[in-house]
Amino acid sequence: MAEQLIIVGSTREQKYQALLPQIEALLEGERDHTANQANVAAALRETFGFFWVGFYRVEGDELVLGPFQGPIACTRIGFGKGVCGSCWQLKKTILVPNVDEFPGHIACSSASRSEIVVPFFDDQGQVALVLDVDSDRLADFDEVDQHHLEALARSIRHRVC
Ligand code: SME
């Protein structure tokens, strides 16, 4: 296993292109989902310096907090609640340029200003896990993040859920 990430490039696009194959390599051969989620959260935060990066897994009718990097966060989120619960309900990525304008946003920290939440699907096409990435800057995420994080979700889903 590589001991450090090598990120070349200056744009976010270039960084994703450098990072994603390294995440795939990092997870290769490791089948523990918790360990893999932990390394994905760490790799994304280390590369981009995001305020909070972490996973919530589906447990019955709730999402439960999984491995994350950043300040402490709320542990349970209901179906359809907040950005994460809406991502689960709608089965699609949700980009929130300004969390104050998202009805029902769950503020784990007042420093979080924008976020993106990406679903991970099981073999039956059900949401099994969501990846939540928060920024302390307004409108920090766009289609570049969505494209690459969705590609990551497709490529590593069997390693994380
Ligand atoms: N903001 C999220 C809750 C999770 S945290 O921000 C870590 C939401 O509205 O679902």
Side-chain angles (χ1 to χ4, degrees):
M1 190 190 98
E3 289 179 1
Q4 63 180 41
L5 299 170
I6 300 166
I7 305 299
V8 290
S10 52
T11 68
R12 198 171 282 184
E13 171 86 40
Q14 290 168 335
K15 288 182 179 180
Y16 276 118
Q17 284 172 1
L19 177 63
L20 266 47
Q22 293 182 71
I23 290 181
E24 288 165 1
L26 188 60
L27 271 48
E28 207 174 281
E30 177 52 67
R31 52 192 168 72
D32 187 280
H33 294 167
T34 304
N36 286 336
Q37 290 169 27
N39 263 337
V40 172
L44 286 168
R45 190 156 192 248
E46 182 182 328
T47 300
F48 298 106
F50 294 133
F51 177 71
W52 195 93
V53 182
F55 290 93
Y56 284 90
R57 70 179 183 280
V58 173
E59 286 271 355
D61 60 357
E62 289 180 316
L63 292 169
V64 181
L65 182 64
F68 69 95
Q69 293 271 315
I72 58 169
C74 43
T75 52
R76 290 173 188 271
I77 297 174
F79 182 72
K81 303 293 183 190
V83 186
C84 293
S86 300
C87 169
W88 177 18
Q89 181 177 37
L90 300 172
K91 296 174 126 184
K92 65 181 184 99
T93 295
I94 301 186
L95 271 165
V96 182
N98 180 350
V99 297
D100 292 336
E101 293 174 359
F102 187 92
H105 170 257
I106 299 166
C108 292
S109 165
S110 57
S112 179
R113 310 290 302 282
S114 61
E115 68 181 84
I116 181 169
V117 182
V118 178
F120 284 58
F121 297 99
D122 63 19
D123 289 338
Q124 285 71 47
Q126 301 302 312
V127 176
L129 189 72
V130 303
L131 170 65
D132 180 359
V133 186
D134 295 4
S135 173
D136 55 8
R137 294 190 296 169
L138 275 175
D140 200 13
F141 305 103
D142 62 18
E143 292 67 26
V144 170
D145 301 278
Q146 179 170 357
H147 172 79
H148 289 288
L149 292 175
E150 287 179 350
L152 177 70
R154 282 192 299 274
S155 94
I156 65 166
R157 69 187 180 97
H158 284 125
R159 298 272 172 209
V160 292
C161 61

